[in-house]
Amino acid sequence: MTKRLISLREDVGSMALGRVLTLVIPVGEADVDHAVTIAHDASHQHPCRVIALVSGNPRGATRLDAQIRVGGDAGASEIIILRMYGPLARQGRAVATPLLLADSPIVVWWPGASPTDPSADPLGALAQRRITDSARARHPHRRLEELASHYAAGDTDLAWTRVTLWRGRLAAALDQPPYEPVDAVTVVGAGDSPSAYLLAGWLGQALQCPTTITSARSGSGIISVHLERASGAIDLARPAGDSAQLRQPGQPDRAIVLPHRSDAECLADELRRLDPDEVYASALVRGIPTVVVRRPTRRPPG
């Protein structure tokens, strides 16, 4: 198959770009097209070889169907889609290994269900970076607890990458006079939003103060962050859409853009760094367990 890739590149006149890594994607049949599209968009910044491993019926006859995309269909990358059937469906590592780029980093991304312990998974054990997405889990908060208990250097999660802009805005607000310590933090976010928990865990660890999550309705994501200080509170709120409001003592309220990030943007960010993300590890392993969860009180009927 490697020879076929070289031949195709020569036939279509694809540019001789250096592939910087191999991105392996274990994915189900229902999600493969969407996952490959996301990887294609993300790889514009990071030319790579994308290997999508699609597990079919493990009880059928052994069969391997392969599709190769180069040039216009794959941009600056190479995309290989492998559909595995029969006993081969459980041998993703053996199927992918001959196609890994030599002397290049390996990244595994699970766009849907991911193993309980990513680093112990046969494919995860090959990789320098392992990307999960706890937002896709049936019970996101329980999934964060699993990831924390099995964390290994190189693990990360797209739910963490989605809070990058929130982190930047809050850090910029705190990097202004009067440089006071924060006494308490309150994050308002959906109870099913792992990003809200990771943001709260990061704030608690970074600011070393009590941190609370007030749960909002499911599906609403992160709504606001309230930082209490002696001179007055800092409030960053995004109740809907991509527009947010920042309130700081002694300054006029400011409307700022705080967009929801696409999966392709988040994946591109994670492909940009191949070293362990120690800040994520701190938020996940040490920060979240210290966060107090406050459920909204229900008003009595009538």
Side-chain angles (χ1 to χ4, degrees):
M1 192 174 295
T2 301
K3 292 181 179 178
R4 179 60 176 158
L5 280 168
I6 295 172
S7 174
L8 283 172
R9 282 203 302 268
E10 292 174 348
D11 290 344
V12 302
S14 179
M15 292 182 293
L17 291 175
R19 273 64 186 171
V20 298
L21 56 88
T22 302
L23 176 62
V24 182
I25 311 173
V27 64
E29 182 63 53
D31 299 322
V32 61
D33 289 338
H34 183 58
V36 167
T37 298
I38 293 171
H40 172 269
D41 293 344
S43 67
H44 285 307
Q45 300 178 38
H46 315 279
C48 60
R49 176 172 292 178
V50 178
I51 303 175
L53 298 172
V54 187
S55 296
N57 185 357
R59 298 181 180 179
T62 299
R63 190 172 90 246
L64 177 64
D65 294 342
Q67 179 184 9
I68 301 173
R69 302 177 187 175
V70 296
D73 289 337
S77 295
E78 302 165 338
I79 298 174
I80 305 169
I81 302 174
L82 301 172
R83 291 179 167 86
M84 305 169 293
Y85 302 92
L88 198 61
R90 298 188 178 94
Q91 301 298 321
R93 172 170 173 156
V95 171
T97 297
L99 298 171
L100 302 174
L101 291 172
D103 301 321
S104 296
I106 300 166
V107 178
V108 179
W109 168 46
W110 291 273
S114 55
T116 301
D117 184 350
S119 65
D121 178 81
L123 284 169
L126 288 174
Q128 285 75 39
R129 292 277 282 172
R130 295 165 294 275
I131 305 170
T132 54
D133 191 349
S134 53
R136 308 302 178 199
R138 181 173 297 180
H139 303 288
H141 186 246
R142 191 180 305 167
R143 180 65 183 129
L144 288 176
E145 292 175 346
E146 291 177 345
L147 292 171
S149 63
H150 296 288
Y151 175 80
D155 292 353
T156 193
D157 195 279
L158 290 189
W160 168 248
T161 325
R162 293 185 185 108
V163 303
T164 298
L165 299 182
W166 282 88
R167 292 170 57 209
R169 290 294 187 182
L170 292 167
L174 289 170
D175 194 25
Q176 299 178 28
Y179 308 114
E180 294 174 326
V182 174
D183 299 319
V185 173
T186 301
V187 176
V188 178
D192 62 351
S193 171
S195 294
Y197 281 87
L198 286 164
L199 180 61
W202 170 70
L203 286 166
Q205 284 294 291
L207 301 175
Q208 291 295 298
C209 65
T211 304
T212 301
I213 284 184
T214 299
S215 294
R217 63 178 176 81
S218 297
S220 56
I222 301 170
I223 295 176
S224 66
V225 176
H226 176 81
L227 307 178
E228 294 182 18
R229 299 192 303 180
S231 62
I234 295 175
D235 285 290
L236 179 60
R238 186 185 64 184
D242 291 336
S243 296
Q245 188 175 55
L246 178 63
R247 293 180 177 176
Q248 297 173 264
Q251 297 187 27
D253 293 353
R254 285 196 297 151
I256 60 175
V257 178
L258 191 62
H260 293 77
R261 309 192 74 204
S262 70
D263 287 348
E265 288 178 291
C266 293
L267 182 60
D269 273 6
E270 292 301 338
L271 296 180
R272 185 173 295 116
R273 62 173 302 165
L274 296 171
D275 57 313
D277 190 339
E278 296 177 354
V279 180
Y280 163 71
S282 176
L284 175 71
V285 178
R286 295 185 292 277
I288 291 178
T290 67
V291 174
V292 175
V293 180
R294 182 182 301 155
R295 308 293 179 186
T297 56
R298 295 184 178 180
R299 296 181 179 178

